[in-house]
Structure formats: C-alpha cells, structure tokens
Amino acid sequence: DESISLADEWLATGKFDLAIAKYAEMEMYMKADNLVYRDIILGGIYQAQGKKDLAAESFRRGAARPFGAGWPWAAVEYVNGKLSEEDMLARAAAPGPDFRREQFMAEGAYYAGMKALADGNRDKAAAMFQNVVETDSVLTLEFLLARAELAKLKRKETPAGK
C-alpha cells in the first residue's frame, strides 16, 4: 500500500515516468481491482499526453484482467468502448454494499472527462472535471488528476499576457 501511495502521488504531481516504473515494479503484489485502476488511470494519462497507442494498450490490459460486475470494471468497459458513458456513470452511482458511491461517481466523471478530452471536446471535458472537483473526493487520485486537467484547460483558455 505504501508503494501504491507513492506511485499515486507521483502520478498526481506529473512525475509520470517514476509512477509508471513503480507500478510495473509492484504489479505482482497488487490486487485485481488495483491493477484495473492502474491500467485505466495510466491509459487516461497516456491519452492526455497524446500517446494513443500506449493508452489503447493500457485500456486493453485492464480489459484482459479478471472481471467483476461492479466498479471499477464498468470504467474499463467504458474506456474500451464496450459500455456507454450513461451506463458507466449509472453503474458508478448504483447503490450497493459499497459505501463509496460518491467516490465511484467522481471516478466515472473523471474517465468521461478524459475520453471527452481525447475526442477533442474540451467543453465537455471541463464540465466533467468540474463535476469531479465539486465532489470534494480529495482522497481519490482521480480528484487530483481532474483538478490538474481542469487547471490546464483553464490556462489554455486564457490569452497570453493576461
């Protein structure tokens, strides 16, 4: 768990190469749901960097892992084009034994924002990232990444010198 936290911190602070290396180093020790999260988060990072082949590979790796019915597997189906955004967000919001519904909804909004960004829809991406930030789910990596993406989008909107 300490290594996962360190890798997550590196991702959240933009130290992508260090995070990727740390995740690879500890892969054999990670639980299935952590591996799935790692795959889709890295896929989103690669998308944001314009590395579409690496993003697709990461998403495919997540889809090849043993599957569950709930979260985060709905996000994997979504990023691989096998589930609509509406269905993915509905599964994130589905009540169940897990008390982390709000966290899952924030995570789903982040993945929808990353896909919108990859599709060139900056307005929708900004709206989805804003939804994540408004949840105040500060303990999730997706919250930190959404906040960073939102800040980047806002910087790009501001004309130089303003």
Side-chain angles (χ1 to χ4, degrees), residues 37 71 91-107 137 139-140:
Y37 272 118
W71 198 259
R91 282 175 56 186
D98 200 330
F99 64 91
R100 299 183 305 179
R101 178 175 171 244
E102 195 170 287
Q103 172 191 337
F104 296 158
M105 291 172 61
E107 291 171 359
S137 290
L139 298 179
T140 66

Side-chain angles (χ1 to χ4, degrees), residues 6-35:
L6 181 59
D8 288 350
E9 180 182 329
W10 285 338
L11 268 182
T13 56
K15 298 175 184 170
F16 302 127
D17 292 338
L18 288 172
I20 291 165
K22 180 55 85 175
Y23 280 134
E25 172 186 309
M26 59 189 190
E27 180 165 354
M28 72 175 93
Y29 305 108
M30 294 174 81
K31 295 184 289 184
D33 61 339
N34 285 339
L35 287 168

Side-chain angles (χ1 to χ4, degrees), residues 81-161:
K82 296 180 180 170
L83 191 66
S84 72
E85 180 180 311
E86 287 175 4
D87 289 341
M88 183 264 302
L89 292 173
R91 282 175 56 186
D98 200 330
F99 64 91
R100 299 183 305 179
R101 178 175 171 244
E102 195 170 287
Q103 172 191 337
F104 296 158
M105 291 172 61
E107 291 171 359
Y110 168 75
Y111 301 125
M114 289 306 294
K115 183 171 184 324
L117 197 56
D119 292 344
N121 190 338
R122 295 168 48 88
D123 291 339
K124 179 177 180 180
M128 296 308 281
F129 295 143
Q130 184 63 45
N131 286 347
V132 177
V133 170
E134 288 173 3
T135 68
D136 210 25
S137 290
V138 296
L139 298 179
T140 66
L141 180 59
E142 290 84 355
F143 172 85
L144 299 171
L145 294 170
R147 190 171 61 186
E149 289 297 332
L150 189 58
K152 280 195 288 189
L153 286 170
K154 287 181 179 179
R155 276 194 308 272
K156 289 179 181 176
E157 289 175 3
T158 306

Side-chain angles (χ1 to χ4, degrees), residues 36 39-40 57-65 67 73 76 80:
V36 169
D39 293 336
I40 58 178
E57 179 185 323
S58 192
F59 293 149
R60 278 193 301 273
R61 193 172 41 247
R65 299 203 185 278
F67 245 68
W73 290 273
V76 173
N80 281 291

